Amino acid sequence: MRPVPLPRLLLVAALSLAALWPPATAAASARIPDTRELTDFFDTAMAKGLQANHVPGAVVSVVGAGKLLFSKGYGLADRENGTPFDPGTSLVRIASITKLFTWTAVMQQVQRGKLDLHADVNRYLTTFRIPATYPRPITLADLMNHTSGFEDSTIGVGARGKADVPPLGTYLAEHVPARVRPPGEVSAYSNYGAALAGHIVAQVSGQPYDQYVKDHILDPLGMRHSTASEPVPAPLAAGLARSYDYEDGTYRRKPFVFDNLAPDGSISATADDMARFMIAHLGGGPLLDEPTARLMHRRSFAADPRIDGYAHGFKEQTLNGHRVIMHDGSWEGFQSVLLLVPDADVGLFVSTNSAGGIDAVTEFLPAFFDRFLPGERPAPSATPGKATTPVAGFYKPARTVESTIEKVLTLTNSSRLRIESGGKLAFKGITWSPLAPGLYQQDGGSQRLAFVTDGAGVTYAATDGPAYELIPWWETPPANVIVVLAFAVTALTAVLGLPLAAAARRLRKRPSTTPRAWRAGRLLAGLGGAVGLVFVVLFTLTLIGDTSILYGVPASLQVLLLLPPLFLALTVAAIATTVIGWRHRHLGVLARAHQVTLLAGMLALVWFCLHWNLLGWHFG
């Protein structure tokens, strides 16, 4: 079962920017690039990047000094019809960049006095409530900073058609995620949180989310080729670009997927329209008054003040010494990123229509900054009063799931952090050198990592991008591999050994002297071992395969999850019958030891299924 590709893939790419392109040695500086320079740069970068990464097309817009500096389409928006990308008419699905429109809408309602960023979100909810799992309530600021403490499940976030999409409030009420940590402590990306904020805007404004965005953001900016509605309205539908997967030399067109959490990713827009949105946020538009705009762009959360954080929904990145506020999005194969550089008054929007676009963007984005926005990251300022000591071990993304079967993805998503000679760290394929107490910097780059501890004593490795949570030994991949292997080996001795022993006994024509209960216990244990082995093999193939949970848990996986309850029943029955037949005097030491070992292995797999939500149907 592969996790559904969702927004923020480019934030992972951002971690490697400085590693791929060494920072300039000059102090951070900026100038407004001219159209000729931008044309030369993108014509070269796109020709190389699209071909190398099998991307059909891309579209770019760059703004500066309150105007559009450059926009251009590259390649094809629709391969089947040979339609070229056009920055003025080709709509791309900007996915999670939609959240910037949602957060802008929130700030508009703050400006009008209808919303308070620091009030309990339950104040604005009329049909359902967010459970009071922790003493501190979740606020709109928490939603914007992704510090709500929600888990982030991806099961069923998409729909195949408009008829399959329930009203936003209904979906939110029926899919309230578990609160897995107190709010305000660690940033862990939440699509549900953004959708909840959009619903709150709809509640206080009295308008559906898509209509609100049209009336209060798109229309005032003249974004006439953009929409928050799904499907794309008929007058714009002809311009909608198509997206593709590339595999084994073939492009496969991806279908239009409806978003059940619309405020987190429903907008389709052109590059020229996104330029209008960037200009507005850089100070040249009517969306927010000046004090509210300044507030929105101000840092609102960082796990450690020496690393990048959030600015009321914008993700901060420090690139070549420049503070960048940005967002990225990934949906249906579209890969998009929007970056604003306030100190240079420059904005960049790029979108590609294939999953390989993430690699293309990762390759040219550092070069863009080196050419037009050179500089280097300054040394860290003040050291926190109490720096957290680094802890070696396995870390999982803070963006995690605890209550559904997706919890098992911890085993494939966790990474080992090692402390090496000289106090350096090895983590996520990067070597990090000590920079200050509790703070590390990427060798050959400028990305940073800090260790923080929350109120419950949990350790996190927080980077300029995602944060990662230290996991206990029993959740680490090596420990769980041992658990599964221990079961598999003992189960195989029963599945293979018991039939051989019975055949040998028949050949020697020796009648069995063991009691019926013991024989039943051996048979049940053997059957349980066989069922468990089948489940382990099939679930492993599912876990590493292409099974999608975008539209919900597929029937094949639901059927597969019938095996753990059957396995549990056989385990309990085998234990009961083994206990009944245990005292029979004809039982040998080896037979007893083998049965106990076999049952211990079966119990290990029972624990595995219970711990990773595989016993029962935990679909959220």
Side-chain angles (χ1 to χ4, degrees):
M1 180 176 60
R2 187 172 294 168
V4 177
L6 283 175
R8 301 186 55 80
L9 292 179
L10 290 179
L11 289 186
V12 178
L15 284 175
S16 63
L17 292 180
L20 292 169
W21 296 82
T25 56
S29 60
R31 63 179 178 83
I32 302 298
D34 63 39
T35 301
R36 179 187 56 80
E37 290 178 300
L38 291 167
T39 302
D40 290 345
F41 175 82
F42 281 108
D43 284 356
T44 301
M46 285 300 180
K48 177 183 177 182
L50 299 188
Q51 181 178 6
N53 296 286
H54 305 291
V55 181
V59 66
V60 182
S61 60
V62 181
V63 301
K67 63 182 180 180
L68 177 65
L69 301 176
F70 172 82
S71 68
K72 190 171 182 179
Y74 295 89
L76 297 177
D78 185 332
R79 294 187 74 254
E80 290 77 11
N81 295 308
T83 307
F85 252 117
D86 185 315
T89 59
S90 297
L91 283 77
V92 293
R93 304 203 67 189
I94 66 171
S96 275
I97 299 176
T98 298
K99 292 180 177 68
L100 296 182
F101 290 76
T102 300
W103 307 134
T104 300
V106 168
M107 296 305 293
Q108 286 178 334
Q109 295 304 309
V110 169
Q111 179 178 304
R112 291 169 185 147
K114 292 186 175 182
L115 291 178
D116 181 343
L117 291 178
H118 304 290
D120 184 345
V121 293
N122 282 324
R123 175 192 293 185
Y124 307 110
L125 301 177
T126 58
T127 59
F128 66 99
R129 311 287 287 176
I130 302 301
T133 308
Y134 299 97
R136 185 187 178 290
I138 295 172
T139 67
L140 281 165
D142 293 323
L143 300 183
M144 301 177 89
N145 297 329
H146 295 280
T147 56
S148 62
F150 285 137
E151 66 178 2
D152 193 52
S153 176
T154 58
I155 294 175
V157 297
R160 290 184 172 87
K162 180 66 174 178
D164 299 322
V165 180
L168 178 60
T170 301
Y171 186 89
L172 293 171
E174 294 176 353
H175 296 84
V176 178
R179 297 179 62 185
V180 296
R181 61 177 63 90
E185 296 195 348
V186 175
S187 196
Y189 197 74
S190 172
N191 286 305
Y192 182 94
L196 181 62
H199 174 65
I200 288 172
V201 169
Q203 291 285 104
V204 300
S205 68
Q207 291 183 284
Y209 173 78
D210 60 342
Q211 189 63 46
Y212 180 93
V213 170
K214 181 180 187 302
D215 290 347
H216 299 276
I217 300 178
L218 303 182
D219 286 353
L221 295 182
M223 297 177 67
R224 296 183 179 86
H225 291 87
S226 301
T227 180
S229 299
E230 295 179 333
V232 172
L236 301 177
L240 183 63
R242 309 302 177 184
S243 58
Y244 301 86
D245 276 335
Y246 181 84
E247 189 173 354
D248 298 327
T250 302
Y251 288 96
R252 184 179 63 185
R253 183 163 156 175
K254 298 181 75 67
F256 186 98
V257 180
F258 290 76
D259 189 352
N260 283 322
L261 295 168
D264 85 326
S266 66
I267 290 179
S268 300
T270 65
D272 283 354
D273 276 0
M274 292 304 295
R276 294 179 173 88
F277 183 75
M278 291 190 290
I279 290 169
H281 265 287
L282 286 170
L287 297 182
L288 301 169
D289 62 26
E290 186 177 346
T292 307
R294 283 201 309 268
L295 172 63
M296 184 175 183
H297 296 165
R298 187 183 305 158
R299 170 175 285 192
S300 52
F301 176 82
D304 182 294
R306 302 167 297 177
I307 64 174
D308 295 327
Y310 275 93
H312 297 91
F314 281 97
K315 180 71 185 73
E316 291 184 315
Q317 286 284 305
T318 302
L319 302 177
N320 285 4
H322 297 277
R323 178 177 182 260
V324 176
I325 54 175
M326 55 87 70
H327 215 293
D328 62 287
S330 173
W331 187 246
E332 284 180 7
F334 287 103
Q335 308 285 338
S336 307
V337 62
L338 180 152
L339 303 100
L340 302 178
V341 190
D343 69 2
D345 196 17
V346 169
L348 167 66
F349 172 78
V350 183
S351 184
T352 65
N353 62 346
S354 174
I358 186 173
D359 297 316
V361 173
T362 301
E363 290 162 6
F364 79 72
L365 194 56
F368 176 87
F369 271 80
D370 281 350
R371 179 164 176 177
F372 300 113
L373 298 163
E376 64 180 4
R377 189 167 188 171
S381 52
T383 300
K386 183 180 179 182
T388 299
T389 303
V391 180
F394 279 87
Y395 287 74
K396 67 179 179 181
R399 181 186 181 185
T400 189
V401 180
E402 295 292 332
S403 66
T404 77
I405 58 170
E406 294 168 276
K407 181 180 179 181
V408 76
L409 294 175
T410 295
L411 297 177
T412 58
N413 293 341
S414 297
S415 302
R416 185 192 291 273
L417 185 149
R418 295 181 174 89
I419 301 176
E420 301 185 331
S421 59
K424 290 191 174 187
L425 307 179
F427 183 56
K428 303 296 291 183
I430 297 172
T431 301
W432 309 77
S433 294
L435 188 63
L439 181 68
Y440 296 78
Q441 184 157 305
Q442 169 189 26
D443 281 0
S446 63
Q447 295 295 309
R448 291 177 181 171
L449 178 154
F451 288 89
V452 296
T453 303
D454 68 11
V458 178
T459 298
Y460 294 86
T463 71
D464 284 329
Y468 302 87
E469 178 184 345
L470 179 66
I471 58 177
W473 66 266
W474 58 85
E475 287 194 348
T476 63
N480 281 268
V481 167
I482 291 172
V483 167
V484 173
L485 285 178
F487 159 74
V489 170
T490 56
L492 281 171
T493 63
V495 171
L496 300 178
L498 292 179
L500 290 175
R505 191 166 52 249
R506 285 195 298 272
L507 285 174
R508 286 180 286 181
K509 299 181 180 180
R510 294 178 57 182
S512 175
T513 58
T514 55
R516 182 176 300 172
W518 182 261
R519 292 199 304 272
R522 300 282 279 175
L523 176 62
L524 289 167
L527 289 173
V531 170
L533 285 171
V534 170
F535 174 73
V536 167
V537 171
L538 294 180
F539 188 75
T540 300
L541 293 175
T542 300
L543 194 64
I544 63 177
D546 293 322
T547 303
S548 173
I549 53 177
L550 179 63
Y551 301 120
V553 178
S556 59
L557 183 53
Q558 295 186 42
V559 171
L560 180 58
L561 290 175
L562 291 170
L563 294 182
L566 175 60
F567 174 75
L568 175 62
L570 290 169
T571 301
V572 171
I575 292 173
T577 50
T578 298
V579 170
I580 293 172
W582 184 262
R583 294 186 179 182
H584 194 276
R585 60 186 179 86
H586 292 294
L587 297 176
V589 174
L590 289 178
R592 294 176 189 268
H594 178 261
Q595 185 72 350
V596 169
T597 303
L598 176 57
L599 293 175
M602 295 174 70
L603 287 173
L605 187 62
V606 168
W607 171 86
F608 180 90
C609 292
L610 280 169
H611 184 75
W612 299 111
N613 298 328
L614 303 176
L615 194 56
W617 288 265
H618 300 279
F619 301 151

